[in-house]
Amino acid sequence: MTRTVITTENAPALAAPLSQGIRKGPVLQVSGQLPLDPDTGEIVGTTVAEQTEQTLRNVTAVLKAGGARLEDVVMLRVYLTDPAHLAEMNGAYAAAVGEPFPARTTVYMQLPPGLLVEVDALAVLDG
C-alpha cells in the first residue's frame, strides 16, 4: 500500500516538518490541528470552547481532503493546556463531534502562548 500525503487549503499549513494528514489504505491519520484560521494563520477565539470548535473544523477539513468524515474517526486525541478547561472543551467537543462518540484520550500539555487546545484524529475508511 502506498502512503499518501493529505493536504488542504481549508486547514492551516503548520510550520513544522509534518503532513496535515497521511493515508495508507483505509487508515487516515490527521496531524494535531490547532485553532488557527486557515487563511490568516491567526488564532481563532480566546476561550477553549471557541478554540475547540475551530480546531475540529480544521480536523474535519483534513479528513474531507483524505476522503473521510467525522463518522469515520475511531480515535481523537485532545491536548489541553489546563485541566480546568475540560468541562468547557467537552461541551464544544460533544456539539461538534456528535454521537456515537469516537474513542478519545485527553492529555494536558504546554502549547505556545494563546493556544489552549490541539486535536489529532485517526480515521478508518470503508473499502
Side-chain angles (χ1 to χ4, degrees), residues 24 48 60 63 77 107:
K24 187 167 184 177
V48 75
T60 301
L63 288 168
R77 281 170 292 274
V107 177

Side-chain angles (χ1 to χ4, degrees), residues 20-43:
Q20 288 175 316
I22 293 286
R23 182 168 175 182
K24 187 167 184 177
V27 176
L28 171 59
Q29 175 67 54
V30 176
S31 289
Q33 295 296 304
L34 298 168
L36 303 177
D37 181 290
D39 295 324
T40 66
E42 297 295 319
I43 297 171

Side-chain angles (χ1 to χ4, degrees), residues 13-103:
L14 303 173
L18 53 84
S19 300
Q20 288 175 316
I22 293 286
R23 182 168 175 182
K24 187 167 184 177
V27 176
L28 171 59
Q29 175 67 54
V30 176
S31 289
Q33 295 296 304
L34 298 168
L36 303 177
D37 181 290
D39 295 324
T40 66
E42 297 295 319
I43 297 171
V44 174
T46 57
T47 68
V48 75
E50 293 167 330
Q51 290 196 14
T52 298
E53 291 165 4
Q54 181 62 44
T55 300
L56 290 170
R57 281 193 291 273
N58 293 340
V59 167
T60 301
V62 178
L63 288 168
K64 183 176 179 183
R69 304 166 304 157
L70 272 174
E71 293 83 2
D72 298 312
V73 172
V74 296
M75 178 67 173
L76 283 164
R77 281 170 292 274
V78 176
Y79 305 87
L80 290 174
T81 59
D82 187 338
H85 293 158
L86 183 61
E88 184 180 349
M89 183 281 298
N90 275 335
Y93 173 95
V97 174
E99 293 187 44
F101 299 114

